[in-house]
């Protein structure tokens, strides 16, 4: 996984704050990777899901081969194949026939253990999720898969028994409560270090529209 800026804005001196949700994600991701399993992290936009997962997976590198895939539209199984081909840095041209493409991917995924971070997974439909399951179920592959997305990905996964039964861990991200906001924001950036609690609460509810609670 290439180095990334984890804040939505590249803010000098900002720090990632270890919240309760991030600590839980760290434990869950570590267990999922160790078990070569699949997990789903879901929740509303801006609740810190991607930030937490990126932070936790970076801590596992370079020992763990992490590949990130992000979807911005509803992909077919064919589109998922091409995204995997790119994410794995496979040489040559992608195969034209699905069966040949599947053999190529399964061969590549059997070479060594890997972890896929599938971000914006709310865009996946049953067909796309099923393709990931198909690769994960292959005995020779050594995959851990972390689906991260909005409530839509949780809904689709829960609707499909074969998919849902294979999810090792479900983690739901919610907003920080008011007490957690007051603890986290002074640690987030020096500008807030000496701020009065009432000022932080006011900024959260009025200026940030509650988005501090992420």
């Amino acid at each position: 996984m290439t180095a990334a800026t984890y804040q939505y804005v590249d803010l000098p001196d900002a720090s990632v704050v270890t919240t309760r949700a991030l600590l839980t994600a760290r434990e869950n991701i570590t267990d999922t990777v160790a078990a070569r399993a699949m997990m789903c992290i879901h929740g509303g936009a801006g609740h810190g899901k991607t930030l937490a997962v990126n932070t936790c997976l970076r801590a596992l590198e370079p020992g763990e081969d992490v590949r990130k895939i992000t979807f911005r539209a509803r992909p077919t199984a064919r589109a998922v194949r091409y995204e995997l081909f790119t994410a794995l840095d496979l040489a040559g041209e992608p195969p034209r026939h699905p069966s040949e493409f599947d053999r190529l991917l399964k061969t590549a995924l059997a070479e060594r253990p890997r972890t896929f971070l599938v971000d914006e997974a709310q865009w996946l439909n049953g067909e796309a999720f099923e393709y990931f399951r198909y690769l994960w179920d292959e005995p020779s592959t050594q995959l851990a898969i972390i689906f991260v997305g909005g409530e839509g990905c949780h809904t689709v996964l829960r609707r499909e028994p074969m998919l849902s039964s294979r999810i090792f861990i479900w983690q739901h991200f919610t907003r920080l409560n008011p007490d957690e906001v007051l603890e986290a924001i002074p640690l987030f950036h020096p500008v807030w270090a000496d701020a009065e609690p009432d000022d932080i609460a006011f900024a959260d509810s009025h200026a940030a529209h509650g988005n501090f609670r992420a």
Side-chain angles (χ1 to χ4, degrees), residues 40-86:
C40 175
I41 292 182
H42 60 101
H47 288 180
K49 303 179 300 295
T50 299
L51 169 69
V53 173
N54 279 329
T55 300
C56 296
L57 288 176
R58 289 283 295 177
L60 297 178
E61 295 178 316
E64 183 65 26
D65 184 357
V66 179
R67 306 297 174 109
K68 181 176 180 179
I69 304 169
T70 302
F71 294 102
R72 300 296 182 186
R74 300 196 178 279
T76 61
R78 180 175 181 271
V80 173
R81 290 186 182 95
Y82 278 89
E83 288 294 334
L84 291 172
F85 183 91
T86 300

Side-chain angles (χ1 to χ4, degrees), residues 55-189:
T55 300
C56 296
L57 288 176
R58 289 283 295 177
L60 297 178
E61 295 178 316
E64 183 65 26
D65 184 357
V66 179
R67 306 297 174 109
K68 181 176 180 179
I69 304 169
T70 302
F71 294 102
R72 300 296 182 186
R74 300 196 178 279
T76 61
R78 180 175 181 271
V80 173
R81 290 186 182 95
Y82 278 89
E83 288 294 334
L84 291 172
F85 183 91
T86 300
L88 292 169
D89 298 320
L90 298 179
E93 294 295 323
R96 297 180 61 183
H97 300 289
S99 59
E100 183 183 355
F101 213 149
D102 293 346
R103 284 195 298 272
L104 174 66
L105 291 174
K106 286 189 285 188
T107 297
L109 293 172
E111 292 175 350
R112 61 181 178 275
R114 287 188 174 91
T115 294
F116 282 147
L117 164 57
V118 183
D119 202 7
E120 301 294 348
Q122 70 271 9
W123 290 108
L124 299 182
N125 55 22
E127 178 189 15
F129 276 122
E130 174 62 21
Y131 190 73
F132 280 106
R133 184 207 62 79
Y134 164 75
L135 294 176
W136 182 82
D137 271 353
E138 172 62 36
S140 64
T141 60
Q142 306 174 67
L143 272 179
I145 304 177
I146 301 166
F147 296 110
V148 181
E151 303 298 1
C153 70
H154 171 268
T155 302
V156 174
L157 282 168
R158 284 296 193 189
R159 192 185 299 136
E160 304 287 341
M162 286 188 65
L163 294 168
S164 180
S165 65
R166 286 164 170 77
I167 299 298
F168 182 53
I169 295 174
W170 303 85
Q171 182 175 350
H172 186 209
F173 263 64
T174 59
R175 292 183 184 276
L176 299 180
N177 63 46
D179 288 339
E180 290 173 322
V181 170
L182 296 180
E183 291 176 4
I185 292 304
L187 301 174
F188 169 65
H189 193 279

